Amino acid sequence: MSQEAKPPEAPTVTFTVKAGHVSNPQTLEVHAAEGDLKPWDLDSKLRVVKGRQPRLDGKYKVTGRAKYTYDINMPGMLWAKMVRASVPAGQIVKIDTSKAEALPGVKTVWTTDSRSVRFAGQDVAAVAAVSPEAAEDAARLVEVTYDEAAYVTDLEKAMADDAPQVYEPDKVPGPKDVPKKGNVVGPTSPRRGGNRGDVAKGFAEAAVTVEETYSVPVHTHSPLETHGVIAKWEGDHLTVWASTQGVLTVRDGMAEALGVDRKNVTVITEHMGGGFGSKLAPSATGTAFAVVACKLAKQAGAPVKLMLDRREEHLCTGNAPSALMTVKIGAARDGTLTAVHYRSFGSAGIAGGAGTGGPAGALHGKCPNLKIEEHDVFTNAGPAAPLRAPGHPQGAFALESAVDEMADQLGLDPLEVRRKNEASPVRLIQYDVGAKAIGWERRNKKAGETAGPKKRGLGMANGNWYVFARGSGVGCEVRIHRDGSVEYFSGAQDIGTGFRTAMAMVVAEELGLKTTDIKPNVGDTRWPEGPASGGSNTTNSVAPAVRLAAHDAKMKLFAVAAPMLGVKPEQLDAADGKIFVTGSPGKSVGFKQAAAKMTGETISAVAERKKQYETYRGDLAGCQFAEVEVDTQTGVVRVVKMVSVNDCGFPINLLTTESQIIGAMIQGVSWALFENRVLDRNVGTMVNPNLESYKVLSAKDMFEAVPIVTEIANAGNNTSCAGIGEPCIVPTLGAVANAVFNASGARVRALPITPDRVLAALAAARRG
Amino acid sequence: MNAFEFARATSVAQARELVAQKPGAVLKAGGIDLLDHLKERLVEPPRVVDLKSIPGLAKITANPDGSLSLGPMATLSQVASNAGIQKSHPALAQSCREAASPQIRNVATIGGNVLQRPRCWYYRLESYKCLKKGGDVCYAVGGENRYHVIFGGGPSYAPHPSNAAVALLAHGASFVLEGDKGPRTVAAGDFFTLPSKDPQRENLLQPGEVLTEIRVPSAAGWRSSYEEIQERADFDWPLVSIAVAVKSEGGTVRDARVVLGAVAPIPWRSTRAEQALVGKSLDEAGATAAARAAVVGAAPMSDNSYKVGLVQNLVRRTLLSLA
C-alpha cells in the first residue's frame, strides 16, 4: 500500500527500476510477486500510455447515445418515489398508506421498520406506481405522524453540554476507546501521519506563534446524475442498473439486505453521471433506497425504477462534513516551523468521520513537533459520505491559511516558508513548476497594495494524498478474436474519469495496437472484479491486471505467430499493428494475419492483480497557485487563473488526467466561493435543497485552469501509476483563500468566501 | 406537479375568459416562474392558459416621441439586445441582460420578470407554511435571512426579485392592465405594494387582470445605468441591484431617480438619495452624500447588515459612472 509495506512473503521477482522524477532519477530494487511484469519506469519507451487520448465513449456522450441509469426504461416498469421524514428528530407514531394505496396506478408500497427519526430526510415509506406522476401523487398521500423531539443542527450548538442529544448515551457510534461526551466524540488522531515530538517544547522554542480558527460549512456532492437504480427480478435472479461508484458494493449490499446469494445478483453501470464519493454505499449513506427499490420490484412482480430527486440528493445521499479547525503554529524568524498543533471539530451529521487532520499529518514534514486532535460532533442532519479526499480540502484550507498568516507575520514569501519546511522531494520540484506557471513574482509584496477598488493577488497552498491500491481480488480479461479485433472486460465502473479509455490504452500499449482498436467492456459484475472507485484507487488497482492480461493474451498470440516467422515466441515483440522479431523489425507479420491463424475463435487471457510492492514514495504530493480579483467595494471575488501541480505516478491518459485536475479546480473553487448547505436554525430543515440557492460555480465564473502533471515513476505496480481524482482538490480551497488575502488584505477564515465576509474582513483589516 | 389542462389563448379577452371559467386557473408567459411554482406545488391550477399564442404581445415599439411600448411577452433577450433600447434606455437593457442565464433570458419575458413572485427560500419550498403562502409566520425573522430585505419589511421580509422592475422604475415606466372594467394604466411607482398591505401580494394586479403593455417614457436628456452584485457571475439573484437615472444641466443635477433592488419587498426608490443629488454636481462629494442618504432608515436583519454597506458603495459607484 505504501512505502512502509513489507515485501510480500510469497515468491518474488526482483526488478531494478529507474524511479522518481526525470530530474532526479533513483535506482530502486523492487520485489514484485512472481509472474508480475517489470514496472514501466523512466527508461520505458511507451508509445500509447502517457499520451493524450480522447475518450472512446466521448461521441456517445455528446450525441446522447450513452445510456445512463436515468435513461434506462423497460416494458412494464414501475416508478417509485420515497417519502422522507419532514422533522429532524423524534419518533414515528404512525404511517398511514391507505390513501396512497387507493390511488389508481399504485401497485405496491413499502414502510420503514425504524421508528427513530434523527434527521429530516430519513427514509419513511415508498410507493411504486405505473407512472412517475402517479408515484409522486401517491407519495404525497402517505400520512406520517411524528412525536417530535428536541434536535440540534448547528455544529457549535451541538458541542454545548446542554445540547439535545442526537443519540442516546448508550447508542453513540464510534470506537469504544475514544472519549465520548454528549454529541462529541474525540480526540482522535488521523489514521496516517499522527503525532510526533513535543508541541509544548516546540512552541517554547518559537519566535512567533499564530493561532487562528477556520471553518467550512457542509458541502454536498451534487453530482449531475442523482442516485438511482432500476431493479428487475427474473425468478431468483436480480439485476440492478445503478448509478454507482461500486457495482460490487451494490451487489454485495443487495445480496446481504435481501438474503440472496451474491451470484444471483448482477449490477450494471455502463455510464455514470458523477458521484464524488457519495455513490460508494450499496444505496447511499442516509437512505436504503436501492434496497427499497429491489423490495418493491419483488412485491410488485415488475421492474422498478427509483431515481432520487435533487432535494433528496442534498438531504440523504451524503455530504462533506463541516469543520471548525483551530491551528496553532510556532516558527523561528526565518520561517522554520517548530510546532504545529491542529485541533478540529466537525459534523458528519448523524454519522462519524469528520476528521480533517490528514494534511496536518503529512505536510511540512520537517517540523519536528506535531499534535493532531480530531473530534466528531453529531448533529440532526443527513450523514456524510466520502467526498473527494475526505476531510483533506477542509484541513488543508485551515493549515495552509495558518502557514500563510505565519509568513505574512514574519514578512516572508509564503512559498519560501514552505520550501524551508518541505520533506517531499516531489513537492520541491512542483514549487518551481507552479511558481513559474502562475508568475509568482507578480504577487503583491504587501497584501492589497494594488491601486484601485479591484485588486488582484496570488496565493498558494499544498495538498497531500496517499497511494491506495487493491493488491488482490482485481482482475481483467483480454480477448483477441480471429478477425483481429480486441476487447477487454473489467467489472470496475467508469465513474466519468475516463477509466474505460485509459484501460484500453494499456491493452493497446501491450499489444502494439492503437487505442481505438480496443473495445472496452466495463461496469458489470459478471466480468472480472474491480474495486469500488474510492480513494483514487481504480486505475491504480486495475491497470496492472489489464497489462498482465494483455501480456498473457499477447504471448498466446505470439505462440501462433512464431512458426509463421520461424522463431520462438520469446523472440517476438509487437508494435504498430505488427508482430516482429526483436532486433529485426523487417521480419514481421500483421497482428490481424497472426490472429487469423489461431485455433478456435478467440484467444482469452484472464489475469489477477499482483500485490502492490514498495514504491518510490507512498504519498502523493501536490500544490496549487491561484490568482484572484477582489472587488473591494462589493466584496465579490473572481478567480482569474489557477495552476494545479500534481503527482499521480505515471498518468495513463494524460488528457483525462488533466481533465480530472481541471474538474477538481472547478469543484474546489466552487467550494471555496459558493457552496453551503443551509439548515434553518429554528426548524432544522434545509432551506436550499436545489441548485438555485445551493450555489455551484456557473459557467461565467470559469477561470483559466492550468493542469500540470509532474510524472513520477512510482514503481509500486507494473504500470507505475498511482491516483489523481482526489489529491488534486486538496490544495484548492486554501490557495483561493490565500490569494484573496494577497489581493486585498482580507483574511477570510470562514468558507465560502462570499461578499459579506470579504467586506467584513476588509473592515477588520482596516481597523487593524 | 398536479395534472392540469393546457389552453392556448389567441386574444387577451379569450385568455381572461379561459381563466375566469376555471377558478384557480393561471396565466403563463415564458413559464419560468410558473414551472417552479407547479413543480413545488405552490400552485395547483386546474388550467394553465398560455399567452404565447396571442399575436402581437411580444412587440417592442420605439415611438416617435422617444418613448417605448413594450409588449409584455418580449423576452429578456429581445429587450437586452435591442440596439435602440441600449441607446435610449441603457439601464433597462442592462437590467435584462444581467438577469438569470442566457437560456432563461431566451424564454423568460419582461412581463413575467416584473410579475414573478419572490425567490425567498422559505416561500419557494412547500414545507414552510409562511406568511406569503397564507401561513402566520415569516421564517426569515430570526431565521436564515442573509438574502432578505433591509427596507420596507414586515410582516414579511422577502425581497422583490425583478431586475427589470428596478430599471423600469428608474425610467418612470407605467403598466397597462386589462381587466373587467377595460384597460387601466398604473405608474410603476404605484404598482408594487408592501407586505404591510397584504403579505401575499407584491403588486396591484387583480385576479383576472392581464398586463398588456409596458410604457416607458422618453429618456431624452437622461443618463442611466444599472448594476447588480451577485455571488456567482451568472445565473444568480442579486444581493443588491441598482438603477440610476440622472438629468443634469451645466454640471448640476436637475432630476434624479435612484432605485434599489433586492433590498425591499418592492423595487425600492430612494427619494432621500435623489433629494441629496438634486442641485448638486455629480462628483465624489455629491455621490457620497447620496450614498449616505440612501441607507437612512435601513433596518437590517440578523444576517444581512452587509447589504447596508453594499448599497452605499453601489450608489456611489453607479452615480460616479454617470459623471
Side-chain angles (χ1 to χ4, degrees):
Chain A
M1 299 285 286
S2 70
Q3 59 189 358
E4 296 90 32
K6 289 189 180 69
E9 284 166 22
T12 59
V13 49
T14 302
F15 297 117
T16 304
V17 296
K18 201 178 269 186
H21 190 257
V22 67
S23 69
N24 185 19
Q26 312 271 309
T27 302
L28 282 188
E29 271 199 354
V30 296
H31 305 87
E34 202 165 51
D36 206 346
L37 301 168
K38 184 187 173 189
W40 290 328
D41 67 1
L42 293 174
D43 286 339
S44 298
K45 304 271 179 284
L46 299 171
R47 305 175 191 92
V48 179
V49 164
K50 296 202 286 171
R52 286 189 167 84
Q53 170 67 46
R55 289 168 197 259
L56 295 176
D57 52 347
K59 63 186 172 208
Y60 303 118
K61 289 189 167 178
V62 298
T63 56
R65 277 185 289 164
K67 295 298 176 211
Y68 292 77
T69 302
Y70 202 92
D71 300 319
I72 295 167
N73 295 303
M74 49 193 71
M77 187 183 82
L78 302 177
W79 300 75
K81 182 82 188 164
M82 295 200 67
V83 178
R84 304 203 162 277
S86 60
V87 302
Q91 294 287 314
I92 298 170
V93 177
K94 194 180 170 202
I95 307 172
D96 183 352
T97 58
S98 56
K99 284 183 189 158
E101 288 177 86
L103 193 76
V106 174
K107 296 296 182 190
T108 189
V109 303
W110 168 88
T111 56
T112 181
D113 294 331
S114 163
R115 296 290 109 175
S116 292
V117 174
R118 290 202 170 87
F119 73 96
Q122 198 173 307
D123 297 348
V124 172
V127 297
V130 295
S131 69
E133 292 82 7
E136 193 196 302
D137 284 345
R140 293 171 62 81
L141 292 173
V142 175
E143 291 170 357
V144 189
T145 316
Y146 302 96
D147 181 9
E148 293 186 44
Y151 66 89
V152 62
T153 52
D154 181 80
L155 171 65
E156 287 176 80
K157 282 182 188 154
M159 289 159 61
D161 288 341
D162 58 348
Q165 301 300 292
V166 176
Y167 288 97
E168 300 74 20
D170 58 325
K171 288 186 183 159
V172 177
K176 282 203 168 56
D177 52 345
V178 176
K180 297 186 176 79
K181 192 181 176 215
N183 293 315
V184 182
V185 177
T188 55
S189 288
R191 280 182 292 164
R192 285 163 214 86
N195 302 334
R196 60 178 180 262
D198 176 354
V199 288
K201 182 171 158 278
F203 288 122
E205 288 164 9
V208 193
T209 57
V210 163
E211 182 173 4
E212 293 293 350
T213 298
Y214 306 86
S215 69
V216 181
V218 169
H219 168 114
T220 70
H221 299 70
S222 297
L224 268 184
E225 185 185 38
T226 57
H227 283 66
V229 294
I230 293 122
K232 182 186 185 185
W233 292 88
E234 287 154 300
D236 289 338
H237 193 95
L238 171 66
T239 303
V240 181
W241 288 263
S243 180
T244 182
Q245 292 173 239
V247 290
L248 285 182
T249 327
V250 175
R251 182 195 67 185
D252 297 356
M254 293 310 115
E256 193 186 333
L258 300 165
V260 297
D261 198 274
R262 287 179 183 179
K263 71 174 184 299
N264 283 338
V265 183
T266 301
V267 181
I268 300 169
T269 302
E270 197 185 355
H271 295 282
M272 210 277 267
F276 310 111
S278 68
K279 293 176 180 171
L280 287 165
S283 293
T285 53
T287 170
F289 79 90
V291 175
V292 170
C294 295
K295 287 182 177 172
L296 290 168
K298 188 87 178 174
Q299 285 167 218
V304 164
K305 183 174 189 171
L306 176 47
M307 298 298 301
L308 301 190
D309 64 23
R310 184 56 62 186
R311 181 188 330 221
E312 295 175 287
E313 192 68 26
H314 281 297
L315 294 182
C316 62
T317 66
N319 52 66
S322 60
L324 186 68
M325 303 160 283
T326 301
V327 188
K328 186 177 178 185
I329 301 182
R333 292 257 166 241
D334 67 353
T336 304
L337 300 184
T338 60
V340 173
H341 185 187
Y342 182 94
R343 194 155 181 264
S344 78
F345 295 84
S347 185
I350 61 165
T356 56
L363 299 173
H364 317 301
K366 282 189 178 170
C367 175
N369 304 301
L370 171 69
K371 187 175 182 186
I372 301 173
E373 296 171 287
E374 299 176 331
H375 303 77
D376 278 340
V377 182
F378 296 109
T379 51
N380 292 103
L387 194 159
R388 209 169 192 172
H392 285 62
Q394 300 98 313
F397 158 66
L399 180 73
E400 293 299 276
S401 291
V403 171
D404 204 68
E405 297 206 45
M406 170 63 78
D408 180 60
Q409 222 179 83
L410 292 168
L412 299 172
D413 175 348
L415 183 57
E416 287 312 311
V417 170
R418 286 178 175 85
R419 277 191 223 272
K420 208 170 272 299
N421 296 288
E422 188 54 73
S424 162
V426 175
R427 209 178 279 101
L428 282 169
I429 295 165
Q430 293 176 333
Y431 288 146
D432 294 337
V433 174
K436 188 170 175 226
I438 196 82
W440 186 245
E441 70 286 351
R442 297 182 298 127
R443 61 184 268 279
N444 297 313
K445 302 304 170 285
K446 188 176 176 311
E449 68 186 355
T450 325
K454 288 192 179 177
K455 296 176 185 295
R456 287 200 178 189
L458 303 181
M460 64 86 57
N462 288 336
N464 75 295
W465 194 243
Y466 320 91
V467 179
F468 290 118
R470 242 172 89 171
S472 61
V474 175
C476 178
E477 181 184 358
V478 170
R479 291 183 196 164
I480 303 171
H481 298 288
R482 175 186 286 284
D483 65 357
S485 65
V486 177
E487 54 186 331
Y488 78 87
F489 297 81
S490 164
Q493 53 292 317
D494 186 343
I495 63 168
T497 58
F499 167 75
R500 56 158 57 74
T501 305
M503 295 308 105
M505 290 173 78
V506 173
V507 176
E509 180 74 51
E510 202 59 40
L511 296 183
L513 297 174
K514 296 198 292 283
T515 306
T516 48
D517 294 333
I518 315 300
K519 180 175 181 252
N521 298 280
V522 303
D524 191 317
T525 52
R526 291 168 295 188
W527 298 332
E529 292 200 1
S533 299
S536 302
N537 82 342
T538 317
T539 296
N540 199 4
S541 297
V542 183
V546 173
R547 188 180 168 210
L548 268 173
H551 175 81
D552 292 352
K554 180 175 74 175
M555 294 317 292
K556 288 183 180 178
L557 185 63
F558 282 0
V560 175
M564 298 168 77
L565 293 165
V567 295
K568 288 182 185 150
E570 304 82 64
Q571 291 173 269
L572 294 177
D573 200 350
D576 302 325
K578 288 184 185 132
I579 295 167
F580 61 93
V581 179
T582 309
S584 320
K587 277 185 85 176
S588 72
V589 58
F591 187 92
K592 285 192 177 197
Q593 279 173 278
K597 294 276 184 200
M598 72 174 66
T599 316
E601 290 305 312
T602 302
I603 287 174
S604 165
V606 180
E608 290 276 321
R609 171 73 150 82
K610 304 287 185 189
K611 286 205 180 309
Q612 184 85 357
Y613 33 87
E614 63 272 52
T615 65
Y616 166 67
R617 287 187 69 81
D619 63 335
L620 296 177
C623 62
Q624 289 181 25
F625 297 77
E627 178 174 10
V628 304
E629 182 174 274
V630 180
D631 184 335
T632 54
Q633 292 177 338
T634 63
V636 172
V637 174
R638 299 284 176 239
V639 174
V640 178
K641 180 176 180 174
M642 280 208 86
V643 173
S644 176
V645 195
N646 302 276
D647 162 15
C648 62
F650 272 2
I652 301 292
N653 184 358
L654 190 54
L655 188 66
T656 50
T657 301
E658 289 171 342
S659 173
Q660 286 207 65
I661 297 168
I662 293 168
M665 283 189 262
I666 296 171
Q667 194 168 23
V669 168
S670 186
W671 197 337
L673 297 184
F674 307 116
E675 298 188 45
N676 187 3
R677 184 197 69 182
V678 183
L679 301 181
D680 176 77
R681 64 194 74 172
N682 302 308
V683 185
T685 49
M686 186 172 175
V687 296
N688 56 346
N690 46 51
L691 291 179
E692 173 184 333
S693 44
Y694 182 89
K695 299 181 185 183
V696 177
L697 177 136
S698 79
K700 217 171 160 183
D701 293 298
M702 195 49 205
F703 46 90
E704 184 188 352
V706 182
I708 297 175
V709 173
T710 41
E711 281 184 15
I712 302 292
N714 184 284
N717 62 62
N718 68 35
T719 64
S720 268
C721 72
I724 189 61
E726 287 164 295
C728 52
I729 198 171
V730 177
T732 317
L733 285 53
V736 171
N738 291 339
V740 168
F741 174 75
N742 185 251
S744 66
R747 177 62 69 184
V748 183
R749 299 189 184 94
L751 299 185
I753 305 173
T754 44
D756 52 337
R757 288 181 169 145
V758 173
L759 292 173
L762 284 168
R766 276 195 296 272
R767 286 193 302 270
Chain B
M1 61 184 77
N2 64 302
F4 55 80
E5 190 184 294
F6 192 77
R8 287 192 175 81
T10 53
S11 70
V12 171
Q14 193 202 11
R16 295 187 53 246
E17 199 181 307
L18 283 164
V19 169
Q21 281 166 2
K22 287 247 180 190
V26 295
L27 295 168
K28 172 193 156 292
I32 302 289
D33 193 31
L34 178 60
L35 188 62
D36 283 348
H37 277 80
L38 290 169
K39 282 161 75 177
E40 190 61 22
R41 307 234 183 188
L42 302 180
V43 293
E44 294 186 286
R47 176 185 280 172
V48 172
V49 179
D50 196 8
L51 299 171
K52 269 192 176 170
S53 37
I54 301 175
L57 269 191
K59 205 168 170 208
I60 297 174
T61 311
N63 300 311
D65 65 353
S67 68
L68 301 171
S69 299
L70 303 177
M73 295 296 287
T75 64
L76 295 175
S77 296
Q78 285 165 343
V79 178
S81 62
N82 186 296
I85 298 177
Q86 286 172 3
K87 207 166 165 207
S88 65
H89 297 81
L92 176 60
Q94 287 160 10
S95 72
C96 293
R97 192 174 56 230
E98 291 284 320
S101 68
Q103 291 93 329
I104 289 179
R105 291 196 292 273
N106 286 338
V107 176
T109 65
I110 186 159
N113 184 280
V114 167
L115 297 177
Q116 69 186 308
R117 304 298 312 277
R119 300 306 307 195
C120 166
W121 44 27
Y122 295 111
Y123 170 68
R124 290 281 161 170
L125 292 174
E126 187 191 12
S127 56
Y128 298 99
K129 303 288 176 224
C130 74
L131 271 173
K132 284 218 155 284
K133 298 201 280 283
D136 50 16
V137 51
C138 176
Y139 287 87
V141 178
E144 310 308 322
N145 55 38
R146 69 196 66 174
Y147 300 129
H148 287 74
V149 306
I150 58 171
F151 296 109
S156 147
Y157 293 81
H160 198 275
S162 173
N163 292 15
V166 173
L168 287 169
L169 213 63
H171 285 303
S174 55
F175 302 115
V176 180
L177 315 173
E178 204 161 306
D180 291 341
K181 296 172 193 159
R184 60 173 177 146
T185 303
V186 181
D190 300 327
F191 181 67
F192 300 99
T193 56
L194 285 169
S196 52
K197 192 173 171 196
D198 180 352
Q200 293 194 60
R201 318 164 51 88
E202 293 82 43
N203 55 56
L204 291 174
L205 192 76
Q206 295 301 305
E209 268 189 320
V210 180
L211 171 65
T212 55
E213 189 188 337
I214 300 171
R215 290 184 182 155
V216 191
S218 166
W222 292 80
R223 277 170 301 148
S224 70
S225 184
Y226 173 90
E227 193 181 356
E228 70 175 67
I229 300 307
Q230 47 195 18
E231 292 178 339
R232 286 195 294 200
D234 197 19
F235 203 11
D236 202 357
W237 300 93
L239 300 172
V240 176
S241 65
I242 180 170
V244 179
V246 176
K247 199 170 195 173
S248 306
E249 265 175 32
T252 304
V253 176
R254 292 293 169 214
D255 202 351
R257 293 199 199 97
V258 177
V259 186
L260 302 167
V263 295
I266 58 173
W268 189 255
R269 188 163 167 190
S270 178
T271 45
R272 280 201 178 91
E274 294 170 3
Q275 283 159 7
L277 280 170
V278 172
K280 307 272 169 49
S281 50
L282 200 55
D283 55 14
E284 186 74 43
T288 304
R292 268 200 215 107
V295 293
V296 171
M301 306 178 77
S302 58
D303 293 355
N304 70 2
S305 56
Y306 71 95
K307 285 194 176 188
V308 178
L310 208 44
V311 164
Q312 289 196 65
N313 288 347
L314 266 190
V315 169
R316 198 178 135 267
R317 157 157 143 181
T318 313
L319 284 170
L320 288 175
S321 76
L322 293 177

